[in-house]
Amino acid sequence: MAQHTLSRPWSDVDASADPAHLVTTLRRRTSSPFHTSYKRRLRNLLHARPGQRFLDVGAGAGTTALALTAETGARAVAADLSLAMAGAARAGGVGTALVADAHHLPFRTGSFDGAWADLVLQHVADPGRVIDEMLRVVLPGGRVVLAALDYGTQVLDIGEPELARRVLALRVDDGVRGGALAHQQPAMLAERGLDDVAAEAHTLVVRDPRTVDHVQGIRDWARTAAHQGHLAPAEADRFVRRFDEAAATGRFTYAVTFFLTSATLPGS
């Protein structure tokens, strides 16, 4: 079978088949209890105070920027590569939401009291460059927080372990640019000389497949892989059949770990 890279819609939302659907998916995902919880923790790690200014890199629809302002009185600027996402952020009430490439942030050095990137570095071409840009625009003593899920930690029980592992591995190796980057982010900040580097693991466990499939489309992964030459069609059909059987019998379990990495820029 010919080998092709799996589609990566989150790496370029505007070039995807349906940017509006991705905006809707992001909003649906953000409203889930698990995502609400870890995003609250992300905001807490920024140590924001009234009057300070923060940058949300890869802000999506801007919900976290809005929540930070409401909770702390700090101002939040939303930046996203996608015109569709920046437009959604503005429509949702974010005062400053602009289209910007995270590899070349259009801000002066030391423009912000802190910055964060939530589920962003795993999708960019050069994560190190994005981190360097974030550090450049943050003042000495400011905070940086990175959040990412590590596809390498995925587990899925559909009653056929080897097939499940093969399909999940495709998400690590082909489906996401940096599928296993999340657990490396503490080292990336430490090697850049940041202080107080800390990492937290937050594991999403799903027993109802509808909860995760509506936002991640796990059921479709195998057929997408087969369509693009990574998996035999018969195996893809078997994966879907096993997926549905596990859902119907209560066997289904899926889990993946998110990592929150925080640090402080040297100086004051």
Side-chain angles (χ1 to χ4, degrees):
M1 290 182 292
Q3 294 293 306
H4 307 281
T5 300
L6 291 176
S7 60
R8 296 169 175 171
W10 294 105
S11 293
D12 191 346
V13 170
D14 292 344
S16 69
D18 191 351
H21 173 70
L22 294 181
V23 172
T24 300
T25 297
L26 190 60
R27 284 176 170 157
R28 184 185 297 124
R29 178 186 299 169
T30 300
S31 67
S32 75
F34 173 82
H35 288 79
T36 298
S37 175
Y38 97 77
K39 286 175 182 292
R40 182 183 303 113
R41 178 57 178 159
L42 183 157
R43 296 191 298 273
N44 289 341
L45 289 169
L46 289 167
H47 303 167
R49 300 190 302 274
Q52 290 186 317
R53 190 167 180 251
F54 288 81
L55 176 64
D56 186 353
V57 177
T63 53
T64 305
L66 287 170
L68 182 76
T69 297
E71 292 167 354
T72 69
R75 293 174 293 161
V77 173
D80 199 285
L81 181 64
S82 164
L83 180 63
M85 288 295 180
R90 286 192 293 269
V94 178
T96 304
L98 68 156
V99 177
D101 183 348
H103 300 86
H104 309 281
L105 293 172
F107 305 106
R108 294 179 179 177
T109 298
S111 297
F112 298 93
D113 295 285
W116 76 94
D118 184 5
L119 305 188
V120 172
L121 293 187
Q122 65 204 53
H123 299 297
V124 303
D126 188 345
R129 173 61 185 264
V130 173
I131 290 175
D132 289 339
E133 278 291 276
M134 292 176 69
L135 301 184
R136 179 184 65 79
V137 302
V138 172
L139 289 162
R143 294 284 289 170
V144 171
V145 180
L146 308 174
L149 63 85
D150 196 317
Y151 281 97
T153 68
Q154 291 179 115
V155 293
L156 173 64
D157 184 6
I158 56 171
E160 193 164 340
E162 180 57 31
L163 179 60
R165 279 195 294 268
R166 288 179 60 198
V167 172
L168 293 181
L170 291 172
R171 305 303 295 176
V172 182
D173 299 330
D174 294 286
V176 180
R177 272 177 170 161
L181 179 70
H183 68 275
Q184 303 171 41
Q185 291 178 166
M188 296 175 77
L189 294 184
E191 69 188 15
R192 285 166 168 78
L194 272 72
D195 297 331
D196 309 318
V197 178
E200 301 177 1
H202 298 253
T203 300
L204 169 66
V205 180
V206 179
R207 296 279 294 129
D208 180 354
R210 294 170 299 179
T211 304
V212 69
D213 207 46
H214 288 167
V215 296
Q216 289 185 258
I218 295 173
R219 186 178 181 274
D220 297 329
W221 286 356
R223 283 183 173 155
T224 299
H227 178 71
Q228 298 182 356
H230 294 265
L231 198 67
E235 292 178 309
D237 290 343
R238 192 167 80 250
F239 177 89
V240 172
R241 187 168 61 252
R242 287 288 198 173
F243 185 103
D244 291 342
E245 290 170 356
T249 60
R251 175 170 193 146
F252 182 92
T253 300
Y254 172 80
V256 64
T257 297
F258 287 59
F259 288 87
L260 283 175
T261 304
S262 60
T264 304
L265 270 71
S268 60

